[in-house]
Amino acid sequence: MKLHYKFSNLLGTVYHKGNLLFTPDSNALITPVGNRATVIDLKNGRSETLSFESEFNVVCSTLSSNGALLLAVNETGRGYLYNVKCRTLIGIHRFGHDVHAVKFSPDAKSVAVCRGTRCEIYTCPSVDRQFNLFTLKFVLRSFHDKTTCIDWTTDSRVVAVGSADMTTQVFSVPLLDKLHRFTLAGHGREIVGAFFEQDSLNIITICKNAKVNYWVVDMELSSMQPMPYIPDLEDEDNDDDADNMDTEDVPASSNGRENADDDENIDEMAEQQRIKLERKQKRLDEHLLKNPTKDDMVVFKRMSKFNYKETFEGADRGALLLCADYHKKTHMLVAGFSNGHFYLHEMPDFNLIHSLSIGDHQQMITSALFNPLGDWIALACSNLGQLVVWEWQSQTYVLKQQGHFNNMTQLAYSPDGMHIASGGDDGKIKLWNTSNGFCFVTFSEHSSTITGLEFAPNGQFIVSSSLDGTVRAYDLLRYRNFRTYTSPTPVQFSCVALDAAGEVVCAGGFDTFNIFVWSIKTGKLLDILSGHEAPISALAFGRNTTQTTLASCSWDKTLRTWSLFDSQGSRETFLLSTDALCCAFRPDGQQIAVSTVDAQILFFHPDTGQQTASIEGKHDLGYARKETDKVTGKKLTFGRQDFLAYRSISYTLDGNYLLAGGRSKYISLYNIHEQILVKRFEVTCNKSFDGLNEYLNRRKMTEFGSLALIDMGQDEDENGKNIRLPGVRKGDRSSRHFKPEILVTCVRFSPTGRAWAACTTEGLLIYSIDNTAMFDPIDLNETITPLSIRQTLYDKNDSYLALLMALKLNEKSLIVEIIENIDASKIEHICQSLPLLYVELLLNFIGEQIQHSRHFAFYLSWIYNILMNHTNNLKPNSTKILNTLCNLEKNLTLKHDSLGKIVENNVFTIDYLSTIASIFKPDNMETSSIPGTKRKSDRNTTSISEE
């Protein structure tokens, strides 16, 4: 089994915080999800998480005008320059702390960064050779509060910067003869957006208290020329050039992560460069004061002002405007408010086009964006994790996705591996399509945390357990809750299990310590299994055994097996050293694995009761400490026995490997036979979560304790109001800001064996086998080269030998070339002669190829001949090639579903055309009454009379 797994996608989270981005062709939307970014292809209906990963959450981002470069800045001011087309991280640049907004110029030669109380202009990477990613060119520092928004004119010579000091300042970069700097005032709250008109200096400013000002200029932008060179502005010291001083770039590692320690020398040099440019800007201001400019300078005049709240009523008058965007070609302005409403107006007359709500009135719209064509509006809600793309002309949804707004707790794969069901603390169950990454149905009948999820063996329904005291079954054909199972007395259910036949469902109690057994069809309570003396932590059914066996583990330090349909009841009791957290049956039912609080994984034989193996996982979990802990992670782990442990385990399909995850940033993959760690996967490096640091930072320790104990969060929420308790006029003075802790609550292997998923604090992570970066030849010798393989096929015309040589070399592109150049008449003969060693390899390759290749019928012929000629050999080894067969079934099902709709549409169209042809065929033309046509006899009469 090949274990070259790598991160492939992030589900369960579609938006966290920050601004949205559309690609220039309007086909894709880029949304920030924690410390990553996801590209949602709106045209093809797919989502993909980009490969780079930041050390902290992304707060702002921008995309170049050609759609090639993405710049994402995290909470600490680190900017990640990523090539979207090549899917490659170019480098990392330190902009510094407190970055609020960033935007590329339309010509993609400069980028403006709102940092603290200033705006910094950098030159962007270009085809010309330069040492640094970004070179600091201008520092605009004349604000009295933080800068909040940026906009460029279409010629990239003028930039407008909005600030929390209620002003918008317009700068020319570089200096123009008729415009140096102009300040626009007239607002009562911080500026949310400033937008130039197309090819003009006319500008719209909008502030947080929902007031809009429209400013006009009586001068054309094209009439302005660059300001003449002023030699007095050069520094007296003639220090090094700006390009040599700016050394803030950080080399990008292969996975896009920075080093843990900051380079103080680089920060000092960067600050010196900023100070130098600020002195230059100050000397420029002094020069302009000593040398008054001409009278024909640009003057902005406020032509009109508008107020959103004039039409608001009741509690909506207290809503704040949080985001806005303006489309320059269509003159449309969209604004999102803290009460969940968004408004679409036409400028400059401020005509209302639409007024709608994204959902709950208590949820805030934190980002709004027009696509480049102006017909779609993307809206995002941070609290709900909701993302909507709305077409305002037809008033329809292009995309509507929402993740779990609380932690995810459970997941389950469908039998074909095409879907994943996830449950969270919000009581919702969501179904995700693994091929496109979208959620297509949500069940919200539960009112508390989801504690267990199981798919039926036939994939037609799922069952779930919850702390609300119910076990529910959902129909996946009609998407409804068709059965609800309850206990005679109220019980909080902690786990659920479904038997191999899909006829019996069991749930364990959290407060009554009993196991309840129901019939799926009738909903009748069949039995109550007693014996445990503490909360039941997990249940698992043994599959493919001679009898139905149920395994249960509990906090009472026991693992029990039960015979549900025998009078014996409890068959075996296994005593453990500590409390059990989870258990799992091997797919063949001949082994049980149980994880305990002391980070051990024990293996038992269900029939004999003997312990067959054990794995010590305490060192594999790693060491972690919270920011408020006063000791290192290593001392903390060994001082507390229950600090780190595996909360979830899962077998591979062949039963040779075990996946385990828990209260750690690592997920471990073990070889059961060798009892060793095969690979350890790091879930995240996002330090916005707690529990990632291993060592104690003495710089954050004072004589009064850790600095992390000081609540550095804002005293106000995003609305600018204190968070209130019901019935309390003043804010809740006991409220605190905290960092969520990284956890792995559930891990599951896909039935195809080519992927696995993990529920984490960051979301639903999908890891799949990486075939692109893997060279795995079979029985290779010196004579097998790409050149010799091509000579065998084209010169010697030996298709069979060429295919064997290509399979031995195991290079994907070469195998595709050889197979697709083999004549279809030779397929049956080649399949008959193919050795069994290469049958699995060829099936595996074809299973992957049919998903994307257009030669579907050609590859189907290969599959048919392989299975027909090697059935007798494959059947005894079906367990060994089960991963390949499941993956083949999954891809064929996906192809069938996609082609089925096209075929049905074509059949309907052919039937329609055939019916039309039978009605209007030449024999019936005389009796037809088609408007605008004449009968044959009439046409003949007319032609004779004309002659």
Side-chain angles (χ1 to χ4, degrees), residues 715-727:
D715 294 332
E716 300 178 348
D717 62 0
E718 296 185 11
N719 285 347
K721 299 179 180 179
N722 291 329
I723 303 175
R724 296 183 178 182
L725 292 176

Side-chain angles (χ1 to χ4, degrees), residues 922 925-926 934-941:
M925 290 297 291
E926 296 183 2
K934 296 181 179 181
R935 290 179 300 184
K936 187 175 181 180
S937 57
D938 295 338
R939 291 198 298 268
N940 295 336
T941 305

